Amino acid sequence: MASSKIPMVKLNSGHGMPVVGMGTAAPFPFMPENTKSAVIDAIKIGYRHFDTATLYQSESPLGEAIAEAVRLGLIGSRAEIFVTSKIWCTDCYPELVLPALQATLRNLQMDYLDLYLIHEPISVKPGPPSLPIKEEEIVSMDLKDVWEAMEDCQRRGLTKAIGVSNFQPKKLEELLLFAKIAPAVNQVEINPVWQQQQLREFCQEKGIHVTAFSPLGGQGRENGNPVMDSKVLKDIANSHGKTIAQVSLRWLYEQGVSFVVKSFKKERLMQNLEIFDWELTEEDHLKINSIPQEKRLWEVIITKEGTVKSICFQDM
């Protein structure tokens, strides 16, 4: 499939972003060679948007893959690729934002990013990025000064756009009170079993584009995958001759949401792009809207007592 067939969304920064991105957060232990070969396969198939982060340890193999794709003639230049990366909580201090982005660019072997996101609405004591987070290491983020440092990175031309991840309306309202450059994107978990309609409506009103991670409900689930196990989605998929994954991604697209979907398998990479030449029916939408919602507790932290618990940022 040619990349020209992947629709673009225009961000409030004035730049275009492909609505489908390939995620590069791989399970541990991380194997860089797998990421590099999968990215090259994805570029051959037509992907032009790649999502990475300091935490994922995938910046270097992603940069190597894009550089190799240029050498192989798969793309004309790095400018044909949209790259998103994210600053981790340990660097969410005003004086550490610029050095963190500069390190990301060195890892990627690039002069600029297309989009740079604050990964979480918290700061953690400086140090190597890791999970789980220890509760005693979480500190309140100086959001105003951190965002000013993000704005400075955009003004320097080190990133074309800036944004956030895992921010809810309350935190976005706080940010918008002082932001000179509004966030272009808020990347959050959205899928048919966690639709986040209120958040999507808020972002639309404020001109902030929403990108979905875990669009197939894949990570952090202890009791199966409620998206891929959904009878409602299975029945809809069967009626269209599509997969459950394709129905979920098509639903997101019809909601005006872009998404980053993670798969290193070539067949699935191809299937994830085969969603633009058909539509869900009104009845399909009513059925999907009726799916019980499951709030996912994304972040695991270690308490001071040494026990493990989960936290989420839905009210932040």
Side-chain angles (χ1 to χ4, degrees):
M1 174 181 287
S3 60
S4 61
K5 292 185 180 179
I6 300 176
M8 304 282 285
V9 59
K10 188 173 183 180
L11 304 179
N12 62 20
S13 62
H15 301 96
M17 180 178 75
V19 300
V20 182
M22 176 186 173
T24 62
F28 293 100
F30 179 69
M31 300 178 69
E33 62 274 14
N34 291 351
T35 299
K36 182 178 178 180
S37 62
V39 169
I40 291 174
D41 285 342
I43 291 174
K44 289 178 180 177
I45 292 167
Y47 284 78
R48 294 295 182 268
H49 177 186
F50 295 91
D51 181 88
T52 183
T54 303
L55 179 69
Y56 303 162
Q57 302 178 40
S58 60
E59 291 173 335
S60 292
L62 173 59
E64 291 170 6
I66 292 171
E68 184 163 333
V70 173
R71 288 193 295 270
L72 294 173
L74 301 175
I75 53 175
S77 70
R78 175 264 180 269
E80 295 181 22
I81 302 294
F82 190 102
V83 178
T84 299
S85 194
K86 311 175 196 76
I87 185 171
W88 185 239
C89 310
T90 48
D91 288 319
C92 281
Y93 297 86
E95 70 278 10
L96 297 183
V97 172
L98 177 59
L101 176 52
Q102 290 170 331
T104 283
L105 292 174
R106 286 194 298 272
N107 289 339
L108 288 163
Q109 304 174 54
M110 293 178 182
D111 298 324
Y112 68 92
L113 287 177
D114 295 279
L115 179 63
Y116 196 41
L117 306 179
I118 296 176
H119 207 148
E120 304 285 358
I122 60 170
S123 294
V124 173
K125 289 181 180 179
S130 64
L131 285 176
I133 297 170
K134 293 181 180 179
E135 187 176 33
E136 65 268 23
E137 294 182 352
I138 298 175
V139 298
S140 177
M141 182 194 293
D142 182 352
L143 183 57
K144 184 175 186 294
D145 286 350
V146 168
W147 189 253
E148 286 179 354
M150 294 283 286
E151 292 174 329
D152 181 58
C153 289
Q154 182 169 332
R155 293 190 189 100
R156 289 170 180 257
L158 298 178
T159 181
K160 290 185 176 181
I162 52 177
V164 295
S165 179
N166 295 304
F167 274 50
Q168 289 296 308
K170 181 179 177 182
K171 205 69 176 178
L172 288 169
E173 284 181 333
E174 177 188 346
L175 173 56
L176 291 171
L177 286 175
F178 50 75
K180 296 181 176 66
I181 301 174
V185 168
N186 184 19
Q187 187 180 121
V188 295
E189 180 184 10
I190 301 178
N191 53 56
V193 303
W194 187 233
Q195 298 180 16
Q196 301 228 58
Q197 184 174 349
Q198 182 181 357
L199 173 63
R200 288 189 281 121
E201 290 174 353
F202 178 90
C203 289
Q204 183 177 18
E205 178 186 332
K206 302 298 182 182
I208 301 169
H209 179 72
V210 175
T211 296
F213 69 78
S214 292
L216 306 180
Q219 67 183 52
R221 306 285 187 181
E222 295 180 357
N223 301 313
N225 184 322
V227 174
M228 303 305 288
D229 297 339
S230 169
K231 184 179 185 306
V232 171
L233 296 176
K234 182 179 180 180
D235 289 345
I236 293 172
N238 289 340
S239 71
H240 289 279
K242 303 295 180 181
T243 67
I244 292 174
Q246 288 170 330
V247 168
S248 298
L249 299 180
R250 179 68 201 187
W251 175 81
L252 283 166
Y253 176 63
E254 292 187 13
Q255 302 304 305
V257 174
S258 62
F259 51 87
V260 291
V261 58
K262 183 183 71 179
S263 178
F264 286 4
K265 296 181 178 179
K266 189 180 297 186
E267 181 181 3
R268 289 184 184 171
L269 285 168
M270 294 177 67
Q271 289 177 350
N272 291 340
L273 295 187
E274 295 170 352
I275 63 167
F276 300 116
D277 59 354
W278 58 280
E279 297 179 352
L280 295 169
T281 67
E282 184 176 346
E283 183 180 0
D284 293 336
H285 280 282
L286 290 173
K287 290 178 179 177
I288 293 173
N289 290 343
S290 71
I291 293 175
Q293 297 296 282
E294 294 192 16
K295 184 176 184 178
R296 187 167 72 91
L297 303 177
W298 187 81
E299 203 67 90
V300 177
I301 65 171
I302 299 177
T303 67
K304 294 177 183 178
E305 294 75 27
T307 59
V308 176
K309 70 175 185 178
S310 295
I311 61 172
C312 68
F313 304 113
Q314 302 303 334
D315 300 320
M316 289 189 169

